[in-house]
Amino acid sequence: MPVIDLVGRTSLTELAAVVERAVLFLGVDSAPMHMAAALGVPVIALFGPSGERSWGPWGDGHVVLSSPFLCRPCGQDGCLGSKRSDCLEAISPQAVLEAADAVLARTAPSVG
C-alpha cells in the first residue's frame, strides 16, 4: 500500500475527509487522533507525557499504548527540556505492530 505524505498540505476539513477513509489511525495524542475516534476510525494512540485517562480516544475499540514510567503523565514537553520523552520512546515497535495486527484482524471486512 503506498504512503502519501500530506503533512502541512490539508485544511482541517480535508484532513477529516482523509482520516474518515482510513482503516486505522496510528498516532500520538493529537487533534487528528481525536478526529479519527469521532469519525469511527479505529485508533491506536501512543501516550507518553499526556494522560490517557483525560485525553484518550473516546469510544469503544480503540487501543492506547503507554509505558509504565512512574513519572507519567507529567505533561512536560520532553524529559528535562529535551523535547524527547523517554516514556513515549519506550513503547516498542513490536507492541505497536501487535496492536495494529489485532485491530486490523478485528475490523477487517470479511471476504466471501
Side-chain angles (χ1 to χ4, degrees):
M1 191 175 294
V3 173
I4 301 170
D5 181 359
L6 298 175
V7 174
R9 299 179 189 185
T10 62
S11 67
L12 284 177
T13 303
E14 292 167 335
L15 176 60
V18 170
V19 168
E20 187 173 32
R21 288 164 178 78
V23 295
L24 173 69
F25 179 89
L26 170 62
V28 296
D29 177 20
S30 61
M33 181 270 298
H34 292 289
M35 290 171 80
L39 291 166
V41 175
V43 169
I44 297 174
L46 310 179
F47 274 79
S50 62
E52 61 271 18
R53 288 188 185 185
S54 297
W55 302 109
W58 289 2
D60 296 327
H62 305 299
V63 174
V64 170
L65 298 177
S66 62
S67 58
F69 280 55
L70 295 177
C71 54
R72 71 167 301 277
C74 67
Q76 299 297 310
D77 188 16
C79 298
L80 303 171
S82 68
K83 303 284 186 190
R84 295 181 67 136
S85 299
D86 293 341
C87 58
L88 192 55
E89 291 181 0
I91 300 170
S92 75
Q94 186 64 35
V96 175
L97 288 172
E98 288 172 5
D101 286 344
V103 170
L104 290 172
R106 183 175 73 230
T107 60
S110 59
V111 177

XYZ file of all heavy atoms in Angstrom:
801
model
N 0.850 -1.167 0.000
C 0.000 0.000 0.000
C 0.901 1.237 0.000
O 1.780 1.362 0.838
C -0.890 -0.042 1.246
C -1.980 0.970 1.232
S -3.110 0.810 2.636
C -3.871 -0.757 2.325
N 0.674 2.183 -0.906
C 1.541 3.360 -0.976
C 1.293 4.316 0.194
O 0.193 4.393 0.719
C 1.146 4.011 -2.302
C -0.255 3.559 -2.541
C -0.348 2.182 -1.942
N 2.330 5.026 0.558
C 2.237 6.047 1.589
C 2.136 7.393 0.898
O 2.893 7.681 -0.036
C 3.486 6.017 2.507
C 3.461 7.184 3.468
C 3.554 4.691 3.238
N 1.192 8.203 1.328
C 1.018 9.534 0.770
C 1.281 10.530 1.893
O 0.599 10.507 2.920
C -0.408 9.720 0.214
C -0.689 8.683 -0.867
C -0.585 11.131 -0.324
C -2.131 8.633 -1.305
N 2.257 11.386 1.725
C 2.621 12.376 2.729
C 1.803 13.639 2.502
O 1.998 14.357 1.528
C 4.121 12.680 2.640
C 4.581 13.687 3.676
O 3.748 14.178 4.476
O 5.780 13.999 3.690
N 0.876 13.911 3.416
C 0.040 15.099 3.338
C 0.359 16.102 4.440
O -0.427 17.005 4.706
C -1.445 14.696 3.406
C -1.947 13.794 2.282
C -3.385 13.368 2.533
C -1.812 14.479 0.940
N 1.497 15.948 5.072
C 1.879 16.813 6.184
C 1.892 18.262 5.720
O 2.575 18.622 4.755
C 3.253 16.407 6.757
C 3.706 17.403 7.802
C 3.196 15.007 7.333
N 1.109 19.090 6.400
C 1.067 20.515 6.095
C 0.355 20.869 4.803
O 0.415 22.010 4.362
N -0.316 19.903 4.192
C -0.935 20.148 2.877
C -2.457 20.095 2.905
O -3.077 20.131 1.846
C -0.423 19.120 1.871
C 1.065 19.190 1.666
C 1.504 18.155 0.686
N 2.965 18.091 0.668
C 3.649 17.359 -0.155
N 3.036 16.614 -1.038
N 4.962 17.352 -0.104
N -3.057 19.965 4.090
C -4.514 19.862 4.157
C -5.078 20.858 5.159
O -4.434 21.203 6.154
C -4.962 18.449 4.582
O -4.464 18.172 5.891
C -4.499 17.389 3.609
N -6.292 21.291 4.914
C -7.052 22.053 5.901
C -7.615 21.045 6.909
O -7.540 19.823 6.687
C -8.188 22.806 5.216
O -9.140 21.868 4.719
N -8.221 21.521 7.976
C -8.838 20.597 8.933
C -9.974 19.807 8.282
O -10.139 18.614 8.537
C -9.351 21.346 10.160
C -8.289 21.782 11.147
C -8.920 22.578 12.282
C -7.530 20.589 11.704
N -10.726 20.450 7.421
C -11.815 19.759 6.730
C -11.270 18.678 5.807
O -11.794 17.556 5.767
C -12.659 20.763 5.927
O -13.137 21.771 6.819
C -13.838 20.090 5.257
N -10.213 18.984 5.080
C -9.597 17.992 4.194
C -8.977 16.859 4.998
O -9.078 15.688 4.615
C -8.546 18.660 3.309
C -9.134 19.618 2.298
C -8.104 20.519 1.642
O -7.028 20.770 2.239
O -8.377 20.989 0.529
N -8.346 17.200 6.119
C -7.777 16.165 6.982
C -8.868 15.216 7.471
O -8.695 13.998 7.451
C -7.039 16.794 8.174
C -6.493 15.816 9.201
C -5.484 14.859 8.586
C -5.880 16.583 10.372
N -9.996 15.762 7.878
C -11.108 14.924 8.340
C -11.573 13.989 7.227
O -11.861 12.811 7.471
C -12.261 15.786 8.836
N -11.616 14.482 6.006
C -12.035 13.646 4.876
C -11.051 12.508 4.629
O -11.452 11.379 4.333
C -12.187 14.499 3.623
N -9.770 12.797 4.762
C -8.751 11.757 4.584
C -8.841 10.734 5.716
O -8.853 9.525 5.489
C -7.336 12.381 4.518
C -6.264 11.304 4.580
C -7.179 13.220 3.259
N -8.912 11.220 6.954
C -8.957 10.334 8.119
C -10.189 9.440 8.077
O -10.119 8.256 8.403
C -8.902 11.163 9.429
C -9.235 10.319 10.639
C -7.531 11.810 9.594
N -11.305 9.995 7.648
C -12.555 9.238 7.614
C -12.460 8.009 6.708
O -13.132 7.007 6.925
C -13.685 10.148 7.139
C -15.049 9.523 7.215
C -16.151 10.508 6.887
O -15.923 11.423 6.068
O -17.235 10.362 7.461
N -11.587 8.039 5.733
C -11.437 6.925 4.798
C -10.398 5.897 5.252
O -10.204 4.879 4.608
C -11.069 7.466 3.415
C -12.236 8.153 2.752
C -11.812 9.018 1.588
N -12.929 9.647 0.916
C -13.584 10.711 1.353
N -13.252 11.285 2.493
N -14.578 11.221 0.678
N -9.731 6.172 6.344
C -8.690 5.280 6.838
C -9.294 4.028 7.469
O -10.401 4.054 8.005
C -7.819 6.003 7.875
N -8.554 2.926 7.411
C -8.982 1.701 8.091
C -8.416 1.649 9.506
O -8.884 0.877 10.334
C -8.579 0.425 7.310
C -9.301 0.372 5.977
C -7.094 0.334 7.121
N -7.413 2.495 9.779
C -6.776 2.537 11.088
C -6.044 3.860 11.227
O -5.412 4.321 10.279
C -5.765 1.386 11.223
C -4.882 1.354 12.463
C -5.715 1.043 13.703
C -3.775 0.325 12.296
N -6.128 4.463 12.407
C -5.330 5.643 12.708
C -4.300 5.240 13.750
O -4.643 4.700 14.795
C -6.183 6.789 13.257
C -5.364 7.993 13.602
C -5.109 8.960 12.647
C -4.810 8.139 14.866
C -4.317 10.063 12.943
C -4.015 9.232 15.171
C -3.777 10.195 14.207
N -3.047 5.521 13.478
C -1.955 5.247 14.411
C -1.226 6.553 14.645
O -0.707 7.156 13.704
C -0.999 4.207 13.824
C 0.320 3.986 14.552
C 0.086 3.470 15.954
C 1.199 3.044 13.770
N -1.207 7.008 15.890
C -0.540 8.268 16.177
C -0.498 8.552 17.663
O -0.837 7.700 18.490
N -0.082 9.760 17.975
C 0.034 10.192 19.363
C -1.193 11.017 19.734
O -2.057 11.297 18.904
C 1.327 11.014 19.581
C 2.554 10.146 19.342
C 1.356 12.246 18.697
N -1.236 11.430 20.986
C -2.292 12.297 21.491
C -2.263 13.591 20.684
O -1.335 14.388 20.794
C -2.049 12.565 22.985
C -3.066 13.520 23.570
O -4.146 13.697 22.979
O -2.772 14.104 24.632
N -3.272 13.767 19.829
C -3.288 14.916 18.925
C -4.715 15.149 18.435
O -5.591 14.308 18.598
C -2.389 14.635 17.717
O -2.879 13.504 17.009
N -4.918 16.292 17.804
C -6.227 16.581 17.223
C -6.621 15.535 16.175
O -7.776 15.067 16.180
C -6.246 17.989 16.638
N -5.713 15.123 15.270
C -6.111 14.089 14.307
C -6.528 12.774 14.969
O -7.429 12.092 14.480
C -4.859 13.914 13.435
C -4.174 15.238 13.503
C -4.409 15.710 14.910
N -5.912 12.423 16.100
C -6.310 11.206 16.810
C -7.752 11.333 17.284
O -8.551 10.407 17.134
C -5.374 10.951 17.994
C -5.678 9.693 18.790
S -6.819 9.861 20.182
C -5.979 10.992 21.256
N -8.108 12.494 17.829
C -9.480 12.707 18.295
C -10.457 12.755 17.119
O -11.587 12.274 17.232
C -9.564 13.988 19.129
C -8.840 13.875 20.430
N -9.294 13.082 21.474
C -7.680 14.423 20.858
C -8.441 13.159 22.491
N -7.459 13.961 22.135
N -10.026 13.309 16.000
C -10.871 13.327 14.805
C -11.164 11.901 14.358
O -12.317 11.564 14.043
C -10.172 14.092 13.674
C -10.065 15.578 13.901
S -9.016 16.379 12.670
C -10.145 16.509 11.301
N -10.141 11.061 14.322
C -10.325 9.673 13.901
C -11.331 8.962 14.800
O -12.244 8.288 14.313
C -8.979 8.940 13.895
N -11.168 9.109 16.104
C -12.087 8.458 17.042
C -13.513 8.963 16.832
O -14.466 8.175 16.819
C -11.629 8.698 18.477
N -13.668 10.270 16.654
C -15.000 10.847 16.449
C -15.628 10.369 15.145
O -16.850 10.247 15.048
C -14.916 12.370 16.467
N -14.802 10.087 14.150
C -15.291 9.627 12.851
C -15.476 8.116 12.790
O -15.836 7.571 11.753
C -14.324 10.088 11.747
C -14.307 11.601 11.509
C -13.096 11.987 10.671
C -15.611 12.042 10.861
N -15.208 7.426 13.911
C -15.420 5.986 13.966
C -14.295 5.157 13.385
O -14.471 3.966 13.120
N -13.134 5.767 13.190
C -11.971 5.041 12.685
C -11.259 4.405 13.878
O -11.013 5.082 14.881
C -11.010 5.999 11.939
C -9.738 5.286 11.517
C -11.713 6.619 10.745
N -10.921 3.118 13.829
C -10.183 2.505 14.932
C -8.854 3.236 15.156
O -8.140 3.545 14.204
C -9.942 1.073 14.463
C -10.954 0.827 13.397
C -11.201 2.157 12.752
N -8.550 3.493 16.420
C -7.371 4.278 16.786
C -6.413 3.443 17.617
O -6.826 2.725 18.524
C -7.794 5.533 17.597
C -6.602 6.219 18.232
C -8.574 6.496 16.729
N -5.131 3.559 17.299
C -4.069 3.117 18.195
C -3.339 4.394 18.565
O -2.742 5.054 17.705
C -3.109 2.118 17.534
C -3.863 0.851 17.145
C -1.943 1.795 18.478
C -3.043 -0.140 16.367
N -3.436 4.774 19.835
C -2.869 6.028 20.307
C -1.707 5.759 21.245
O -1.827 4.977 22.192
C -3.929 6.863 21.021
N -0.588 6.394 20.966
C 0.602 6.280 21.813
C 0.614 7.452 22.787
O 0.548 8.609 22.364
C 1.864 6.305 20.950
C 1.898 5.342 19.758
C 3.191 5.504 18.988
C 1.718 3.920 20.217
N 0.682 7.126 24.069
C 0.673 8.171 25.097
C 1.968 8.140 25.882
O 2.396 7.090 26.348
C -0.519 7.981 26.038
C -1.775 8.623 25.526
C -2.528 8.002 24.562
C -2.169 9.863 25.995
C -3.670 8.592 24.063
C -3.311 10.469 25.514
C -4.073 9.830 24.539
N 2.561 9.294 26.028
C 3.769 9.480 26.818
C 3.491 10.448 27.950
O 2.872 10.084 28.950
N 3.898 11.717 27.787
C 3.736 12.678 28.870
C 2.292 13.105 29.125
O 1.986 13.602 30.199
C 4.582 13.871 28.439
C 5.006 13.638 27.054
C 4.710 12.226 26.696
N 1.396 12.938 28.159
C -0.004 13.282 28.397
C -0.730 12.053 28.934
O -0.318 10.917 28.717
C -0.665 13.808 27.122
O -0.659 12.840 26.115
N -1.793 12.288 29.649
C -2.501 11.199 30.316
C -3.675 10.678 29.515
O -4.566 11.433 29.129
N -3.689 9.383 29.287
C -4.758 8.773 28.514
C -6.098 8.794 29.230
O -7.148 8.752 28.595
C -4.399 7.347 28.081
C -4.145 6.384 29.200
C -2.696 6.345 29.681
O -1.924 7.276 29.414
O -2.363 5.354 30.339
N -6.095 8.877 30.549
C -7.379 8.936 31.274
C -8.123 10.228 30.954
O -9.339 10.234 30.858
C -7.161 8.802 32.773
C -6.770 7.412 33.157
C -6.737 7.222 34.621
N -6.245 5.881 34.916
C -6.181 5.384 36.099
N -6.556 6.082 37.151
N -5.725 4.164 36.274
N -7.383 11.311 30.794
C -8.007 12.593 30.456
C -8.117 12.813 28.960
O -9.057 13.441 28.491
C -7.192 13.749 31.049
O -7.183 13.685 32.452
N -7.153 12.323 28.210
C -7.037 12.684 26.803
C -7.113 11.522 25.826
O -6.862 11.693 24.634
C -5.717 13.441 26.585
C -5.639 14.660 27.431
C -4.827 14.841 28.525
C -6.398 15.856 27.299
N -5.047 16.084 29.064
C -6.006 16.738 28.330
C -7.382 16.281 26.403
C -6.561 17.992 28.488
C -7.930 17.541 26.570
C -7.518 18.373 27.596
N -7.465 10.336 26.298
C -7.541 9.182 25.410
C -8.697 9.285 24.427
O -9.600 10.114 24.593
N -8.679 8.453 23.391
C -9.756 8.491 22.395
C -11.078 8.038 23.001
O -11.120 7.079 23.772
C -9.276 7.522 21.312
C -8.309 6.623 21.995
C -7.685 7.423 23.097
N -12.128 8.753 22.666
C -13.466 8.391 23.135
C -14.034 7.284 22.268
O -13.768 7.217 21.075
C -14.391 9.585 23.072
C -14.102 10.651 24.086
C -13.088 10.662 25.021
C -14.809 11.862 24.259
N -13.139 11.811 25.760
C -14.187 12.566 25.318
C -15.894 12.429 23.640
C -14.634 13.806 25.756
C -16.348 13.662 24.078
C -15.723 14.331 25.124
N -14.812 6.415 22.899
C -15.483 5.353 22.163
C -14.848 4.003 22.418
O -13.821 3.888 23.093
N -15.473 3.002 21.868
C -15.036 1.626 22.068
C -14.116 1.166 20.945
O -14.171 1.674 19.828
C -16.253 0.698 22.119
C -17.149 0.994 23.310
O -16.615 1.391 24.364
O -18.374 0.834 23.174
N -13.292 0.178 21.259
C -12.470 -0.476 20.254
C -11.132 0.173 19.978
O -10.383 -0.305 19.142
N -10.835 1.260 20.657
C -9.551 1.923 20.449
C -8.504 1.308 21.381
O -8.828 0.761 22.424
C -9.663 3.421 20.708
C -10.728 4.070 19.888
N -10.717 4.084 18.509
C -11.862 4.711 20.247
C -11.775 4.717 18.066
N -12.501 5.100 19.101
N -7.242 1.422 21.001
C -6.146 0.879 21.788
C -5.227 2.029 22.192
O -4.852 2.847 21.353
C -5.342 -0.168 20.982
C -4.123 -0.633 21.750
C -6.232 -1.338 20.591
N -4.896 2.065 23.467
C -3.938 3.051 23.974
C -2.694 2.299 24.409
O -2.780 1.319 25.160
C -4.521 3.850 25.160
C -3.453 4.679 25.831
C -5.673 4.724 24.685
N -1.550 2.739 23.919
C -0.274 2.149 24.322
C 0.513 3.192 25.094
O 0.591 4.359 24.688
C 0.527 1.707 23.097
C -0.107 0.631 22.227
C 0.770 0.358 21.005
C -0.316 -0.646 23.013
N 1.086 2.759 26.208
C 1.922 3.632 27.022
C 2.974 2.770 27.708
O 2.952 1.551 27.598
C 1.084 4.384 28.058
O 0.473 3.469 28.950
N 3.889 3.416 28.378
C 4.922 2.690 29.124
C 4.743 2.962 30.605
O 4.184 3.988 30.993
C 6.316 3.118 28.653
O 6.461 4.510 28.814
N 5.219 2.050 31.452
C 4.959 2.145 32.892
C 5.942 3.041 33.655
O 6.438 2.660 34.705
C 5.066 0.685 33.347
C 6.081 0.099 32.431
C 5.848 0.780 31.099
N 6.232 4.217 33.142
C 7.109 5.148 33.859
C 6.331 5.773 35.012
O 5.201 6.249 34.824
C 7.609 6.245 32.918
C 8.757 5.835 32.036
C 8.685 4.724 31.214
C 9.926 6.585 32.030
C 9.733 4.358 30.405
C 10.995 6.223 31.217
C 10.895 5.109 30.407
N 6.910 5.805 36.193
C 6.232 6.357 37.367
C 5.998 7.857 37.249
O 5.102 8.396 37.893
C 7.035 6.047 38.630
C 7.146 4.565 38.990
C 8.032 4.379 40.221
C 5.770 3.959 39.213
N 6.765 8.537 36.424
C 6.650 9.991 36.288
C 5.542 10.417 35.319
O 5.233 11.598 35.213
C 7.982 10.590 35.835
S 8.646 9.830 34.338
N 4.963 9.479 34.643
C 3.930 9.849 33.684
C 2.537 9.666 34.255
O 2.339 8.799 35.083
C 4.115 9.110 32.353
C 3.824 7.628 32.331
C 3.741 7.085 30.927
N 2.724 7.723 30.142
C 1.444 7.360 30.187
N 1.023 6.384 30.961
N 0.558 7.979 29.441
N 1.601 10.486 33.873
C 1.744 11.591 32.936
C 2.297 12.833 33.633
O 1.840 13.212 34.702
C 0.324 11.832 32.452
C -0.552 11.406 33.589
C 0.201 10.289 34.284
N 3.272 13.425 33.019
C 3.903 14.608 33.610
C 3.478 15.900 32.931
O 3.621 16.976 33.501
C 5.424 14.479 33.545
S 6.067 14.515 31.843
N 2.998 15.796 31.693
C 2.575 16.976 30.968
C 3.718 17.839 30.457
O 3.496 18.936 29.967
N 4.933 17.339 30.561
C 6.105 18.118 30.140
C 6.372 17.940 28.647
O 6.034 16.931 28.061
C 7.342 17.678 30.929
C 7.218 17.875 32.424
C 7.066 19.335 32.795
O 7.833 20.176 32.345
N 6.055 19.624 33.596
N 7.040 18.918 28.091
C 7.414 18.896 26.680
C 8.780 18.228 26.544
O 9.773 18.855 26.189
C 7.439 20.325 26.149
C 7.639 20.397 24.655
O 7.456 19.372 23.979
O 7.989 21.478 24.165
N 8.818 16.948 26.868
C 10.076 16.203 26.817
C 10.735 16.114 28.180
O 10.482 16.916 29.072
N 11.594 15.128 28.327
C 12.305 14.917 29.596
C 13.424 15.938 29.738
O 14.237 16.123 28.824
C 12.890 13.505 29.634
S 11.637 12.209 29.558
N 13.428 16.602 30.851
C 14.479 17.571 31.176
C 14.676 18.626 30.082
O 15.790 19.026 29.765
C 15.799 16.850 31.464
C 15.749 15.802 32.585
C 17.045 15.012 32.636
C 15.433 16.456 33.918
N 13.560 19.049 29.483
C 13.619 20.083 28.460
C 14.175 19.637 27.127
O 14.520 20.463 26.284
N 14.248 18.333 26.900
C 14.905 17.799 25.701
C 14.014 17.742 24.465
O 14.506 17.450 23.383
C 15.421 16.392 25.984
O 14.322 15.501 26.153
N 12.713 17.941 24.617
C 11.736 17.765 23.535
C 11.586 16.297 23.130
O 10.953 15.994 22.134
C 12.094 18.598 22.291
C 12.223 20.070 22.538
C 10.874 20.709 22.669
C 11.049 22.223 22.759
N 9.826 22.867 23.116
N 12.192 15.386 23.886
C 12.054 13.937 23.670
C 11.586 13.316 24.980
O 12.122 13.634 26.040
C 13.384 13.325 23.254
C 13.862 13.850 21.894
C 15.150 13.220 21.516
N 14.915 11.805 21.276
C 15.410 11.126 20.255
N 16.184 11.738 19.397
N 15.166 9.851 20.100
N 10.625 12.428 24.883
C 10.052 11.805 26.074
C 10.453 10.344 26.149
O 10.067 9.544 25.283
C 8.531 11.929 26.051
O 8.149 13.280 26.049
N 11.193 10.003 27.186
C 11.634 8.616 27.371
C 10.446 7.662 27.431
O 10.490 6.560 26.871
C 12.469 8.478 28.643
C 13.802 9.199 28.565
O 14.262 9.514 27.444
O 14.390 9.463 29.636
N 9.376 8.091 28.094
C 8.206 7.218 28.243
C 7.532 6.931 26.904
O 6.990 5.852 26.701
C 7.218 7.827 29.229
S 6.626 9.471 28.775
N 7.569 7.869 25.991
C 6.994 7.655 24.667
C 7.911 6.785 23.817
O 7.461 5.858 23.140
C 6.748 9.002 23.988
C 5.907 9.025 22.730
C 4.542 8.386 22.952
C 5.739 10.455 22.253
N 9.198 7.059 23.883
C 10.164 6.280 23.106
C 10.300 4.848 23.604
O 10.777 3.982 22.869
C 11.507 6.986 23.104
C 11.468 8.288 22.304
C 12.791 9.018 22.249
O 13.787 8.532 22.829
O 12.830 10.084 21.615
N 9.862 4.583 24.828
C 9.958 3.231 25.386
C 8.878 2.294 24.861
O 8.945 1.087 25.072
C 9.896 3.292 26.914
N 7.888 2.828 24.160
C 6.862 1.967 23.567
C 7.509 1.256 22.384
O 7.976 1.893 21.449
C 5.641 2.786 23.120
C 5.029 3.519 24.319
C 4.614 1.873 22.450
C 3.978 4.542 23.938
N 7.544 -0.050 22.440
C 8.293 -0.805 21.434
C 7.561 -0.866 20.094
O 6.328 -0.947 20.052
C 8.568 -2.225 21.920
O 7.399 -3.009 21.843
N 8.317 -0.843 19.018
C 7.700 -1.051 17.704
C 6.926 -2.364 17.644
O 5.876 -2.444 17.011
C 8.888 -1.059 16.748
C 9.946 -0.266 17.444
C 9.754 -0.570 18.906
N 7.419 -3.384 18.315
C 6.735 -4.676 18.331
C 5.349 -4.557 18.962
O 4.383 -5.126 18.446
C 7.569 -5.722 19.081
C 6.994 -7.114 19.018
C 6.957 -7.673 17.595
O 7.830 -7.399 16.793
N 5.931 -8.448 17.285
N 5.236 -3.804 20.056
C 3.932 -3.606 20.701
C 2.971 -2.875 19.768
O 1.776 -3.202 19.698
C 4.096 -2.835 22.003
N 3.493 -1.908 19.023
C 2.662 -1.157 18.080
C 2.192 -2.072 16.950
O 1.011 -2.069 16.588
C 3.432 0.067 17.531
C 2.620 0.783 16.470
C 3.804 1.025 18.668
N 3.100 -2.874 16.394
C 2.728 -3.800 15.322
C 1.703 -4.827 15.785
O 0.751 -5.145 15.061
C 3.967 -4.502 14.776
C 4.905 -3.633 13.937
C 6.193 -4.394 13.617
C 4.218 -3.185 12.660
N 1.893 -5.350 16.979
C 0.941 -6.329 17.516
C -0.438 -5.705 17.696
O -1.457 -6.325 17.376
C 1.457 -6.911 18.829
C 2.624 -7.850 18.639
C 3.273 -8.299 19.941
O 2.754 -7.964 21.035
O 4.315 -8.985 19.868
N -0.477 -4.481 18.200
C -1.760 -3.789 18.369
C -2.421 -3.549 17.016
O -3.625 -3.760 16.850
C -1.560 -2.474 19.118
N -1.636 -3.118 16.039
C -2.184 -2.873 14.702
C -2.729 -4.158 14.089
O -3.831 -4.165 13.524
C -1.120 -2.253 13.804
N -1.980 -5.240 14.205
C -2.447 -6.527 13.681
C -3.761 -6.936 14.340
O -4.684 -7.402 13.663
C -1.398 -7.618 13.901
C -0.213 -7.513 12.963
O -0.300 -6.804 11.937
O 0.830 -8.144 13.265
N -3.854 -6.760 15.651
C -5.065 -7.150 16.370
C -6.260 -6.293 15.963
O -7.358 -6.815 15.728
C -4.835 -7.051 17.880
N -6.062 -5.002 15.848
C -7.161 -4.117 15.456
C -7.595 -4.413 14.023
O -8.781 -4.505 13.733
C -6.760 -2.636 15.620
C -7.801 -1.719 14.989
C -6.592 -2.291 17.098
N -6.637 -4.576 13.129
C -6.984 -4.851 11.733
C -7.678 -6.201 11.584
O -8.614 -6.329 10.787
C -5.731 -4.782 10.857
C -5.156 -3.373 10.677
C -3.820 -3.439 9.953
C -6.137 -2.454 9.971
N -7.270 -7.190 12.355
C -7.920 -8.506 12.303
C -9.370 -8.405 12.787
O -10.257 -9.089 12.270
C -7.147 -9.514 13.143
N -9.578 -7.550 13.756
C -10.913 -7.387 14.346
C -11.832 -6.555 13.451
O -13.046 -6.744 13.454
C -10.747 -6.727 15.715
C -11.987 -6.540 16.509
C -11.700 -5.993 17.896
N -11.323 -4.585 17.825
C -10.249 -4.054 18.401
N -9.424 -4.812 19.085
N -9.985 -2.780 18.298
N -11.276 -5.638 12.687
C -12.097 -4.691 11.932
C -12.117 -4.953 10.431
O -12.864 -4.299 9.721
C -11.614 -3.250 12.167
O -10.252 -3.132 11.743
C -11.743 -2.861 13.634
N -11.282 -5.877 9.958
C -11.223 -6.132 8.517
C -12.546 -6.693 8.018
O -13.147 -7.550 8.665
C -10.089 -7.104 8.202
N -12.990 -6.207 6.867
C -14.225 -6.770 6.312
C -14.019 -8.231 5.923
O -12.954 -8.609 5.470
C -14.505 -5.906 5.076
C -13.236 -5.209 4.760
C -12.405 -5.184 6.021
N -15.063 -9.017 6.131
C -14.948 -10.441 5.786
C -14.991 -10.608 4.267
O -15.634 -9.864 3.563
C -16.073 -11.225 6.447
O -17.317 -10.722 6.019
N -14.269 -11.608 3.817
C -14.201 -11.894 2.384
C -15.109 -13.079 2.086
O -15.080 -14.079 2.784
C -12.743 -12.208 1.972
C -12.697 -12.579 0.504
C -11.830 -11.053 2.284
N -15.889 -12.942 1.049
C -16.698 -14.085 0.630
C -18.084 -13.845 0.813
O -19.109 -13.957 0.767
